[in-house]
Amino acid sequence: MSSRIFGSGIRRREDPRLITGAATYTDDLTMPGMLHAVMLRSPHAYAKITRIDTSRARQAPGVIASYTGADVNLNAMPCAWLPPNSSLKIAKYPTVAVDTVRYVGDIVAVVVAETPEQGYDALELIDVEYRPLNASLDPQKSCAPGAPQLHEDVPSNLAFQWTVSGGDVDAAFKNADVVVKERIVQQRLIPNAMEPRAALAKWAGASGELTLWNTTQNPHILRYLTSVVTGIAEDKLRVIAPEVGGGFGCKIPAYPGEFLAIFASRKLNRPVKWTETRSENYQATTHGRDHVQEVELAATKDGTILGIRARSWSAMGAYLSTAAPGIPTILHGLMLSGVYNVPAIKEDVYGVYTNATPVEAYRGAGRPEATFIIERMVDKLAAELTMDPVAVRQKNLIPKFENGHSVATGLTYDSGDYPGILKKLLDHVNYEALRKEQAAARTAGKIMGIGVGTYVEICGLGPSQVASAVGFQGGLWESAIVRVHPTGKVNVFIGASPHGQGEETTFAQLVAAEIGVAVDDVKVVHGDTETTPMGWGTYGSRTTAVGGAALVLATRKVKEKAKLLAAHLLEAAVEDMDYDDGKFFVKGSPDKAKTIQDIALMANLSWNMPPGMEGGLEASMFYDPPNFTYPFGAHLAVVEIDGDTGDVTLKRYVAIDDCGPQINPIIVEGQVHGGVVQGIGQALWEEAVYDANGQLVTGSMLDYALPRADRLPNIEVLSTVTPSPHHPLGLKGIGEAGTIASTATVYNAVMDALAPMGVKTLRMPFTPERVWRAIHAGGKSGGN
Amino acid sequence: MYASNFNYLRAGTLAEASALLQKNPGAKVLAGGHSLIPLMKLRLASPTVVIDIGRVPELRGISLSGGALTIGALTTHAELAASAAVQDAAQALSEAAGHVGDPAVRNRGTIGGNVAHADPASDLPAVLTALGATFHITGPGGRRSVQASDFFKGMMNTAVGEHDILTTIEVPARAAGQGSAYAKFEHPASRYAVVGVAACVIVNGGTCVAASIVLCGLTSTPARAKSGEQALVGQALTRETIAAAAGKVGTDLGSDVLGDIFASAEYRAAVAPVYVRRAVEAAASRAR
């Protein structure tokens, strides 16, 4: 059993309910007496509120209440990632703006009505007078002299300044034969989870208890933060994440919306639901990336990398979202060595307030940006030295290691075989032949490019001691309870909160593999703080890497107890016991076995227990990993560009990833597909564009171009297997890998295509016009 | 994303629809709902009354007789694209209908709603202009017919008046030697045309005897490329003659080319000849 179910590509048990519309999301919930909250949001990026009058709205049909900033006595929104030694300045982030609005979408007032339609009608009756101020949008300009200051107590809009440094960077640049430079714009992105955010708050006045249903990736963290913001004690708070329709990072943070639903529910003693519209989702659900980076790479003339020096201006938006400061610092700067030996690294990161939607983690969160820097610079170095980009990579790759390799930024990668995975990629595509094909295509007048991207990512966040050291205001362990019922069926309760990743399936496989029950006999329960043990949530590719370890170890505890009971029932010594495929037996006598189901019944009945053994068959585990995990991979993209229009067509995409042993290869492939496509989206199509006044120009799916299936090739997914030395099963995580690799890979392919025209740099996304202009301007293109 | 309050009325017949329209000033006609409903949800349109004509039987169906295709206003894009009659008699229309929006839009959106909305980036107005369609309208004064050249009056403005209903669209069936095609550069998000070109040519004895080229996405109404058309007539349609004709469309477009953050006016004007070339080449290859 164990060898069959672990590694088996069984279908996701989540899918039938998801694809038949039978799943229950927060907005599907309804209850007697339920009211609807709607938000009036600022139309200005930066303005003083000089007058606000809700009296007409209060008179509108169906309206029960309305609140402005003056009425709401909630605590300020919390920031929970405080990078040390960074002069962090947390500007006050009110749930409802009091006298100043700082981005288009900032909440100005709340209306609670019998129906959402009545609520939206009433919003039009709120009279607000604004005195608009000059807005500041660009992170680099926002902290320069003369920029409008967003928060009184934050001079130069500098939220923080953080530095990563390792090795002698000055010496590296002094000794360099070549220095290549690049200005990189990591454009602002909109996560676009299929399900918009929603909250349903139900205050039970008589008992003083509150239940919150919410679109969150981490219900336990949200309960903790809810107690901070609302003052309701944690034991009186229950947070439930029902079906959650994608997150990609934007459902990690706490938002004003859920707290305002709670506020209204307490005030009115009725259930209050709030569901954002798609327009609100675009305006006010956190965005991702938005960095400007100036990067230099020092190398010798044979292509050996000596050092990297960078400065990054990272927009935070108008306020610090829950985990925002940790993304462009800890999750980014520490990963700048990539898969290479880079003896010296220094990056200064400036976190800057801007008059835009707050940013947060977005799939990959910091690591795509780090990968982009190193992968782009390696290609630039290759171009400078007229070497093949693959040859430069091979020259600098960290050799294979199985148990620990330290890099200049201070991290110790767990295990990796970077030369091996790159070789597999080159063999798979027959790289030499592909380059010949490109040469022939160029001769025939075609514009064809090949891009290679290699990466290593930090995931499986992470040891809690490290969380403390890097200012993360929480633990990073995970938990699991395994409960075997009298019939031998199993419930698993986990602290993490999957929302599309498939752990209801893969975690059942883990349990089935460990104790020999059928996979269909295991149900995975998650997403409710009242029924699941504390856990820190699903993000950072950590659910399997950390939560999966907790689950395996809890299951092994169950198995150990089952073995003791089996020995007792068979009147044998424990040392003489053997186990195979769900059966415990005395060595040499497999025909007289106790099955796990037999043991489950006897443990739950407790008629005949060994002295001192507790009843029941259940175990829990709180697992704090000793290190992060470091999945890695090598990707390749082939593009063709229409010279007449600048339209880029992705002809081929190959992803080879190593996430350690795979519980379910179909789910791994699905995660790679989704991840790769989101990264391609950044390279080719996606950008949240604000105009100079801070209006979001790409405010809907009509303007913001998401990847579509008909513009994508069949993605070739392959893998290698390098177990993590510290995870009980060697698992590493795969949720973000594709995104981390694919943006840089496609970028490199497009730049490779345009190289003969003298184009050296170009800003993402590669819209047809931008590429067309670059082709026409050639080496004179403005670039970034 | 929530429309303002409005009254919903459903018409069972064309006569009933007309009567309801005249009784309810400011009312809007709802067919497939793929232009009107998004505007209402964004509160860019807030009609107090919506008259649903979606179940009016007289407005359905495609028929081919007397050398013309008659297409009911309620015909969906998907029905147009799947129709063998349209495929044979109006190749460009079939092709364009198959590229409107996405499957959900094509299954609900209608040809009548599309042209009455008259978005400048919409595909069908250009195609119907190139194919010389006639639009049949019912209004307070009875029935009347309008040629494509007079139908599209401005951005989102057509010959369909406040109390009128567009009933059918008549497209001349393909003549001997005729071929037509639609080439589209679609916006990656909206799938509207950044540049769309409908081309129709008639080739007789190896020579082009008639040509029409109409562009969308660039100007507020479908733009006829007269110089391009004239350059084709009397020529054998070769790569060279087509490219030469395509090169002339700039003069036809004038200076009022539209632009946005995705594609500037300058860029649209620059790539327009590319799509003219592609459309005419495809039309020429289909001429038979």
Side-chain angles (χ1 to χ4, degrees):
Chain A
M1 173 72 74
S2 59
S3 58
R4 290 200 305 275
I5 195 62
F6 186 99
S8 171
I10 59 171
R11 299 284 180 238
R12 288 172 21 126
R13 60 173 56 167
E14 292 89 339
D15 288 342
R17 67 172 191 266
L18 294 173
I19 61 182
T20 60
T24 303
Y25 297 87
T26 300
D27 188 56
D28 293 323
L29 299 168
T30 183
M31 49 186 61
M34 186 172 80
L35 299 172
H36 298 265
V38 298
M39 312 297 172
L40 181 68
R41 294 181 180 276
S42 169
H44 298 287
Y46 193 18
K48 291 289 177 191
I49 301 172
T50 54
R51 191 177 77 89
I52 182 161
D53 181 357
T54 60
S55 55
R56 285 200 302 144
R58 281 173 203 268
Q59 305 305 316
V63 172
I64 305 296
S66 75
Y67 309 108
T68 66
D71 305 319
V72 176
N73 60 355
L74 295 166
N75 290 323
M77 297 294 295
C79 178
W81 198 336
L82 320 175
N85 308 315
S86 69
S87 309
L88 182 68
K89 292 187 182 61
I90 303 174
K92 188 176 181 191
Y93 178 4
T95 49
V96 179
V98 178
D99 51 12
T100 309
V101 290
R102 294 186 176 86
Y103 72 98
V104 173
D106 219 350
I107 297 174
V108 172
V110 187
V111 165
V112 185
E114 296 283 356
T115 70
E117 289 83 358
Q118 289 170 327
Y120 283 101
D121 284 346
L123 287 187
E124 297 187 347
L125 303 174
I126 298 178
D127 300 307
V128 194
E129 282 174 15
Y130 297 95
R131 181 161 56 79
L133 303 167
N134 288 330
S136 194
L137 278 306
D138 178 288
Q140 215 169 3
K141 290 176 189 157
S142 274
C143 60
Q149 185 172 328
L150 271 70
H151 300 279
E152 264 178 26
D153 47 353
V154 187
S156 304
N157 298 318
L158 212 52
F160 58 83
Q161 180 178 347
W162 179 88
T163 298
V164 58
S165 180
D168 190 341
V169 173
D170 292 339
F173 279 82
K174 215 169 77 185
N175 298 330
D177 300 323
V178 257
V179 172
V180 285
K181 299 181 182 187
E182 180 82 312
R183 183 170 188 272
I184 295 166
V185 177
Q186 284 280 343
Q187 78 270 30
R188 184 174 268 259
L189 302 171
I190 297 178
N192 273 296
M194 189 97 80
E195 179 207 23
R197 285 184 304 109
L200 169 59
K202 182 172 181 275
W203 171 251
S207 59
E209 294 182 10
L210 183 117
T211 307
L212 174 70
W213 290 263
N214 187 243
T215 48
T216 178
Q217 298 177 221
N218 28 252
H220 290 277
I221 292 184
L222 183 60
R223 176 174 61 174
Y224 179 30
L225 296 177
T226 300
S227 76
V228 169
V229 174
T230 66
I232 302 170
E234 266 186 289
D235 64 308
K236 304 285 196 297
L237 269 172
R238 177 180 185 182
V239 175
I240 301 172
E243 203 78 67
V244 176
F248 312 115
C250 77
K251 290 171 183 169
I252 295 172
Y255 288 89
E258 43 261 27
F259 300 133
L260 293 169
I262 292 171
F263 174 82
S265 182
R266 280 178 92 178
K267 280 268 183 195
L268 305 169
N269 204 19
R270 286 174 72 173
V272 175
K273 183 158 80 180
W274 166 71
T275 302
E276 68 180 359
T277 63
R278 183 62 66 182
S279 304
E280 284 183 290
N281 178 270
Y282 267 59
Q283 280 188 351
T285 288
T286 52
H287 294 173
R289 315 239 154 84
D290 200 357
H291 305 177
V292 175
Q293 292 147 347
E294 291 178 359
V295 187
E296 298 170 284
L297 180 141
T300 61
K301 57 178 177 287
D302 70 346
T304 304
I305 299 170
L306 299 176
I308 294 174
R309 189 161 57 194
R311 289 189 296 168
S312 178
W313 290 263
S314 304
M316 293 286 104
Y319 308 100
L320 295 181
S321 180
T322 310
I327 314 301
T329 53
I330 312 300
L331 292 178
H332 167 73
L334 299 180
M335 288 308 296
L336 281 173
S337 191
V339 292
Y340 309 106
N341 280 310
V342 182
I345 293 172
K346 183 168 189 280
E347 186 179 32
D348 294 305
V349 179
Y350 308 96
V352 186
Y353 288 107
T354 57
N355 290 110
T357 304
V359 298
E360 249 297 344
Y362 172 59
R363 201 169 191 171
R367 291 149 289 168
E369 302 92 308
T371 302
F372 193 95
I373 285 180
I374 185 73
E375 290 303 301
R376 183 67 207 127
M377 296 315 278
V378 165
D379 263 35
K380 289 218 84 140
L381 177 62
E384 180 73 22
L385 299 172
T386 48
M387 288 174 71
D388 188 287
V390 166
V392 176
R393 282 177 174 79
Q394 285 165 330
K395 194 164 199 65
N396 291 283
L397 286 179
I398 296 166
K400 180 178 178 176
F401 60 100
E402 287 172 358
N403 196 2
H405 176 89
S406 296
V407 292
T409 58
L411 293 175
T412 302
Y413 297 171
D414 60 348
S415 59
D417 182 4
Y418 312 141
I421 206 162
L422 180 56
K423 180 172 186 310
K424 182 164 181 168
L425 177 73
L426 302 177
D427 291 346
H428 173 73
V429 300
N430 194 348
Y431 185 71
E432 269 181 45
L434 193 59
R435 283 291 180 194
K436 281 183 190 147
E437 186 189 327
Q438 179 186 32
R442 280 179 174 165
T443 308
K446 286 188 176 167
I447 308 176
M448 174 182 168
I450 300 165
V452 172
T454 42
Y455 76 94
V456 56
E457 59 155 324
I458 181 171
C459 69
L461 315 179
S464 297
Q465 275 194 352
V466 178
S468 157
V470 299
F472 184 81
Q473 301 299 296
L476 282 172
W477 44 266
E478 274 307 325
S479 61
I481 295 171
V482 177
R483 182 175 299 157
V484 190
H485 301 299
T487 53
K489 312 293 180 188
V490 184
N491 270 156
V492 166
F493 303 88
I494 58 170
S497 195
H499 45 279
Q501 294 85 351
E503 276 95 355
E504 288 177 27
T505 304
T506 56
F507 277 20
Q509 287 179 270
L510 287 181
V511 173
E514 288 291 329
I515 56 172
V517 295
V519 70
D520 287 341
D521 286 352
V522 185
K523 183 188 171 189
V524 180
V525 179
H526 60 85
D528 182 345
T529 60
E530 202 95 317
T531 59
T532 64
M534 174 71 189
W536 293 93
T538 290
Y539 45 83
S541 306
R542 67 186 298 278
T543 304
T544 297
V546 187
L551 177 59
V552 166
L553 296 176
T555 311
R556 287 179 183 173
K557 285 186 187 177
V558 164
K559 186 176 173 183
E560 198 50 41
K561 178 173 177 177
K563 188 173 155 191
L564 290 173
L565 182 52
H568 175 73
L569 294 172
L570 291 169
E571 299 177 345
V574 175
E575 309 82 69
D576 295 336
M577 294 298 294
D578 210 344
Y579 166 85
D580 182 45
D581 198 11
K583 295 188 184 72
F584 298 87
F585 49 91
V586 179
K587 280 175 190 151
S589 308
D591 47 327
K592 275 178 61 186
K594 294 285 179 191
T595 65
I596 184 72
Q597 289 82 7
D598 296 335
I599 305 291
L601 180 63
M602 291 310 289
N604 279 288
L605 294 175
S606 291
W607 289 346
N608 178 14
M609 301 291 272
M613 183 180 280
E614 295 175 17
L617 189 56
E618 170 168 335
S620 67
M621 180 72 202
F622 290 76
Y623 177 79
D624 204 338
N627 189 6
F628 301 94
T629 58
Y630 293 87
F632 59 92
H635 290 201
L636 180 138
V638 178
V639 299
E640 202 171 294
I641 296 172
D642 181 338
D644 288 337
T645 64
D647 193 36
V648 178
T649 300
L650 188 57
K651 305 293 280 188
R652 189 174 183 192
Y653 197 93
V654 183
I656 310 189
D657 300 281
D658 191 323
C659 61
Q662 300 180 4
I663 307 169
N664 183 324
I666 285 186
I667 290 183
V668 169
E669 190 174 347
Q671 287 289 320
V672 171
H673 272 222
V676 162
V677 169
Q678 267 178 311
I680 293 169
Q682 178 177 6
L684 296 185
W685 299 294
E686 299 183 43
E687 180 172 18
V689 180
Y690 285 95
D691 69 14
N693 297 320
Q695 297 293 332
L696 182 61
V697 185
T698 52
S700 81
M701 287 182 180
L702 281 174
D703 309 296
Y704 185 93
L706 288 166
R708 301 240 197 177
D710 66 349
R711 296 302 313 268
L712 295 163
N714 180 34
I715 299 166
E716 297 162 55
V717 178
L718 294 86
S719 59
T720 61
V721 177
T722 306
S724 171
H726 64 74
H727 185 283
L729 295 175
L731 312 180
K732 291 192 169 187
I734 192 67
E736 296 159 296
T739 316
I740 289 166
S742 64
T743 308
T745 302
V746 172
Y747 190 101
N748 282 342
V750 172
M751 296 315 291
D752 182 58
L754 297 177
M757 288 127 216
V759 181
K760 290 190 164 57
T761 187
L762 199 59
R763 193 187 188 288
M764 294 184 288
F766 292 130
T767 60
E769 177 164 2
R770 196 168 275 151
V771 173
W772 176 82
R773 285 186 185 279
I775 290 170
H776 284 260
K780 299 189 294 292
S781 73
N784 281 329
Chain B
M1 298 303 245
Y2 285 86
S4 303
N5 249 330
F6 61 91
N7 284 330
Y8 170 88
L9 304 174
R10 185 190 296 160
T13 62
L14 185 56
E16 191 185 348
S18 271
L20 286 172
L21 253 184
Q22 283 167 59
K23 250 191 285 179
N24 294 281
K28 282 280 180 191
V29 171
L30 176 72
H34 276 61
S35 301
L36 180 62
I37 300 293
L39 288 179
M40 289 173 64
K41 285 170 84 171
L42 293 168
R43 299 197 169 200
L44 293 172
S46 297
T48 51
V49 176
V50 169
I51 298 165
D52 185 355
I53 59 166
R55 298 171 205 210
V56 172
E58 302 99 295
L59 303 180
R60 293 213 160 269
I62 301 169
S63 62
L64 178 63
S65 67
L69 269 175
T70 302
I71 302 166
L74 288 179
T75 306
T76 65
H77 306 305
E79 288 164 351
L80 274 179
S83 160
V86 176
Q87 214 163 13
D88 183 60
Q91 297 146 328
L93 181 58
S94 175
E95 188 169 25
H99 285 92
V100 173
D102 53 33
V105 171
R106 293 196 288 275
N107 283 325
R108 296 289 302 174
T110 66
I111 185 172
N114 178 291
V115 297
H117 182 62
D119 190 300
S122 188
D123 310 297
L124 302 189
V127 175
L128 292 169
T129 305
L131 296 178
T134 304
F135 298 79
H136 299 289
I137 297 167
T138 290
R143 293 167 182 247
R144 66 188 198 279
S145 301
V146 180
Q147 296 304 306
S149 50
D150 298 321
F151 184 82
F152 299 102
K153 291 179 170 303
M155 192 178 287
M156 296 182 177
N157 181 14
T158 70
V160 181
E162 202 186 342
H163 297 126
D164 290 338
I165 294 173
L166 174 65
T167 56
T168 52
I169 297 162
E170 200 178 312
V171 182
R174 187 168 58 81
Q178 180 183 318
S180 68
Y182 181 65
K184 179 179 183 179
F185 173 5
E186 67 183 8
H187 189 286
S190 70
R191 304 241 149 169
Y192 275 105
V194 174
V195 174
V197 180
C200 181
V201 294
I202 299 175
V203 179
N204 193 345
T207 302
C208 176
V209 295
S212 65
I213 303 170
V214 181
L215 296 86
C216 60
L218 295 118
T219 48
S220 55
T221 55
R224 185 172 280 282
K226 287 206 180 74
S227 332
E229 292 169 352
Q230 283 161 11
L232 290 175
V233 174
Q235 302 284 334
L237 297 179
T238 64
R239 276 186 75 86
E240 292 69 30
T241 58
I242 292 170
K248 294 183 186 299
V249 300
T251 52
D252 296 320
L253 290 169
S255 56
D256 293 332
V257 176
L258 305 166
D260 63 16
I261 55 161
F262 177 74
S264 68
E266 181 194 356
Y267 172 68
R268 283 175 204 242
V271 298
V274 176
Y275 283 85
V276 170
R277 176 164 54 75
R278 290 175 187 177
V280 174
E281 281 178 358
S285 75
R286 291 172 188 170
R288 63 181 196 276

